[in-house]
Amino acid sequence: MIRTSKANFRRTIAGLLLCLSLTACGTQTGGTAAVSDADKQAIALTANGVDFTAEQYAASFLYNLNRMDNILGMYGQKTSKQITDKEERDSFSENIAQLAKQQLVYLSACEAKMKENGLSYTDADIDAEIKILAEQMGGDVGLDTYLKDIGLTRDQYREFAKLNVMVQKLREDFNAKNPNAARESFEKDYLRAKHVLVKTVDDNNAELPNQEELKTKAADIAKRAKAGEDFDTLIKTYNEDPGMESNPEGYVFTDGEMVPEFYEGTKALENDAVSDPIKTSYGWHIIQRLPLRDTDFESKRAMIEEKAFSDLAQTWQDSSKAEEKEALSKVNLDTVSSYLA
């Protein structure tokens, strides 16, 4: 309960570009007048020296639209089908356009980094990636039905499968060249701690009436812990954080994962030391900092490696050069399907 309530929703949206496997959602957009082959093949975006046609951009737009609608639906938010107000619809369309542009920029950057690092992929690699999706969809028929439902062909989806392949190869290459980076990051950025929480609010976050009594209680617990009483016994007797029951060896966390006072209070301690009572919106915390263990690192390794690669990939994005063409502005929420028909 002392973990921050930072929006998983916002984090999920931000992760769209680097979490690239399709998930079933089935969004369709309204069609408009037919688009000519010449308009489909017009250059819409040039990124890192790579030209993308309006059709390729539309495929990325629709891909991201379906992913966004899927996530919005999961969080009970309005999807594109439910947005009818023109201003709101235009804003939604622009958000999808930004994702589509960034994805194509990322694709071109990955192509460049593959060459720079002497890496390559084959059609067989892309086929294997598509096979994984097919297995998730119950077979080739399920995959073809799904892609048809969302308005993409297999050929159009291959670009996204190719991007998945490149990201995997670049990530593996980065980890192989930086074998100690994750461990160093873990030891620098992560903490482990147990605590006794004396709540000062009820389950509805309303402040309890006996604040001075609770403050005195917390001070007494801290004094006993510092005098050498068994901390686990104090937790068992006084702790009001139910999260400790599922984390009996302590929380393992980094900045942003706990309320700031808890993080800073733990960071200020030496290993095995106990804090004075620290006040947060939950109540008074008596914290015992604990040394990190190999098992703690292994439990966080994949997350740390993924973040390190994501941070690197963001620098590729930031240093990329992209030029939007007139054809790009013609693809939007209401026209996108016509570019893929």
Side-chain angles (χ1 to χ4, degrees), residues 73-84:
M74 287 170 55
Y75 283 88
Q77 304 293 312
K78 282 200 297 188
T79 66
S80 61
K81 284 184 177 180
Q82 299 166 316
I83 298 175
T84 56

Side-chain angles (χ1 to χ4, degrees), residues 199 201-208 281:
K199 291 178 64 176
V201 293
D202 63 21
D203 291 340
N204 295 315
N205 288 322
E207 191 172 90
L208 296 171
S281 58

Side-chain angles (χ1 to χ4, degrees), residues 159-228:
E159 285 297 291
F160 309 115
K162 180 178 74 174
L163 181 52
N164 284 351
V165 169
M166 289 193 294
V167 168
Q168 181 178 343
K169 288 181 177 292
L170 287 165
R171 183 188 294 114
E172 290 171 351
D173 183 65
F174 174 76
N175 290 336
K177 291 176 179 176
N178 301 275
N180 299 319
R183 185 74 191 223
E184 291 170 359
S185 176
F186 176 74
E187 292 177 351
K188 178 173 69 74
D189 297 334
Y190 277 79
L191 304 169
R192 182 166 74 99
K194 296 179 179 180
H195 77 136
V196 176
L197 169 63
V198 178
K199 291 178 64 176
T200 58
V201 293
D202 63 21
D203 291 340
N204 295 315
N205 288 322
E207 191 172 90
L208 296 171
N210 54 334
Q211 293 295 308
E212 285 303 316
E213 179 184 336
L214 296 170
K215 182 178 180 180
T216 300
K217 178 181 178 180
D220 179 63
I221 294 170
K223 181 178 179 181
R224 291 164 60 182
K226 290 186 174 189

Side-chain angles (χ1 to χ4, degrees), residues 88-229:
E88 189 177 358
R89 194 167 177 80
D90 288 345
S91 177
F92 189 97
S93 185
E94 180 55 32
N95 288 335
I96 302 301
Q98 289 299 323
L99 287 173
K101 286 182 284 188
Q102 289 174 39
Q103 187 175 50
L104 294 182
V105 170
Y106 186 42
L107 191 154
S108 66
C110 286
E111 288 273 22
K113 291 299 176 181
M114 290 284 288
K115 293 177 183 178
E116 183 181 312
N117 289 283
L119 303 174
S120 62
Y121 58 85
T122 65
D123 285 342
D125 293 326
I126 300 174
D127 290 340
E129 182 69 21
I130 292 176
K131 183 179 179 181
I132 292 173
L133 179 63
E135 290 172 351
Q136 293 172 351
M137 296 292 168
D140 286 334
V141 174
L143 172 59
D144 289 335
T145 299
Y146 168 63
L147 291 177
K148 181 179 179 181
D149 285 346
I150 67 170
L152 291 174
T153 66
R154 281 209 183 205
D155 285 343
Q156 290 161 346
Y157 175 69
R158 285 186 73 83
E159 285 297 291
F160 309 115
K162 180 178 74 174
L163 181 52
N164 284 351
V165 169
M166 289 193 294
V167 168
Q168 181 178 343
K169 288 181 177 292
L170 287 165
R171 183 188 294 114
E172 290 171 351
D173 183 65
F174 174 76
N175 290 336
K177 291 176 179 176
N178 301 275
N180 299 319
R183 185 74 191 223
E184 291 170 359
S185 176
F186 176 74
E187 292 177 351
K188 178 173 69 74
D189 297 334
Y190 277 79
L191 304 169
R192 182 166 74 99
K194 296 179 179 180
H195 77 136
V196 176
L197 169 63
V198 178
K199 291 178 64 176
T200 58
V201 293
D202 63 21
D203 291 340
N204 295 315
N205 288 322
E207 191 172 90
L208 296 171
N210 54 334
Q211 293 295 308
E212 285 303 316
E213 179 184 336
L214 296 170
K215 182 178 180 180
T216 300
K217 178 181 178 180
D220 179 63
I221 294 170
K223 181 178 179 181
R224 291 164 60 182
K226 290 186 174 189
E229 270 194 57

